């Protein structure tokens, strides 16, 4: 028995998923999209506000991206004591990405500052016990019952 393998591209895979979703979900697609958006927004908001602040860079460099992680880091938010403006800016920059998210899109929240890992493990006394991202992910999993 000879099997022909069809080369799967990202575009053809996405088209297959879209067709499957249309057949099986119908009107529920909007519910799935709304759930994805809610999870991403809550994840972003929590990590931004949990990030320790000195210059504001850690808060300002959280990004939501679709399909590929954000590359590099930004120097905005670098004003001493800019806790609230850096947080608001980070959320405002990513909000259109979250609002435009399509169902089943692969999206992520990233922060590429060179020292973000140190902050995550408690380098700053402002870091909450359990970390920034680790604690937030545990809360999101519990809130939305995402665990297996």
């Amino acid at each position: 028995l000879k099997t022909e393998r069809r080369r799967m591209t990202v575009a053809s895979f996405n088209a297959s998923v879209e067709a499957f979703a249309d057949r099986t979900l119908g009107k529920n697609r909007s519910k799935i999209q709304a759930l994805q958006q809610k999870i991403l927004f809550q994840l972003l908001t929590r990590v931004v506000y949990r990030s320790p602040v000195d210059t504001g860079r850690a808060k300002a460099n959280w990004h939501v991206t679709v399909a590929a992680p954000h590359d590099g880091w930004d120097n905005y938010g670098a004003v001493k004591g800019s806790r609230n403006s850096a947080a608001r800016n980070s959320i405002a920059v990513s909000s259109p990405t979250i609002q435009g998210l399509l169902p089943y899109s692969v999206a992520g929240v990233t922060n590429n500052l060179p020292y973000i890992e140190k902050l995550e493990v408690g380098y700053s006394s402002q870091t909450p016990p359990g970390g920034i991202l680790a604690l937030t992910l545990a809360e999101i999993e519990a809130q939305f019952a995402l665990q297996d």
Side-chain angles (χ1 to χ4, degrees):
L1 182 64
K2 186 176 178 181
T3 306
E4 182 180 323
R5 288 200 165 157
R6 188 177 128 209
R7 185 172 177 98
M8 180 73 68
T9 64
V10 172
S12 64
F13 175 77
N14 287 342
S16 296
V17 170
E18 288 289 325
F20 173 78
D22 286 339
R23 286 191 314 272
T24 58
L25 296 172
K27 295 178 184 177
N28 290 328
R29 287 179 64 117
S30 62
K31 291 179 182 177
I32 290 169
Q33 180 180 18
L35 179 61
Q36 284 179 287
Q37 291 168 331
K38 184 175 182 178
I39 290 170
L40 272 173
F41 187 76
Q42 286 193 22
L43 179 62
L44 174 66
T45 301
R46 291 178 191 190
V47 295
V48 166
Y49 280 102
R50 281 198 171 115
S51 296
V53 64
D54 179 25
T55 64
R57 283 188 192 106
K59 288 184 179 293
N61 272 278
W62 288 105
H63 296 279
V64 173
T65 55
V66 177
H70 183 75
D71 56 346
W73 56 278
D74 302 309
N75 200 28
Y76 53 73
V79 178
K80 194 105 170 138
S82 62
R83 173 183 314 224
N84 292 328
S85 62
R88 284 191 302 269
N89 186 54
S90 182
I91 294 166
V93 166
S94 287
S95 287
T97 302
I98 294 171
Q99 292 168 354
L101 189 70
L102 298 174
Y104 304 106
S105 297
V106 175
V109 177
T110 57
N111 188 322
N112 293 324
L113 280 178
Y115 55 86
I116 197 67
E117 289 181 45
K118 286 183 176 181
L119 293 178
E120 175 69 20
V121 297
Y123 183 78
S124 169
S125 62
Q126 296 177 41
T127 301
I132 302 163
L133 190 57
L135 177 61
T136 301
L137 289 174
E139 288 175 352
I140 296 289
E141 285 178 345
Q143 179 180 353
F144 293 99
L146 298 176
Q147 297 175 348
D148 292 335

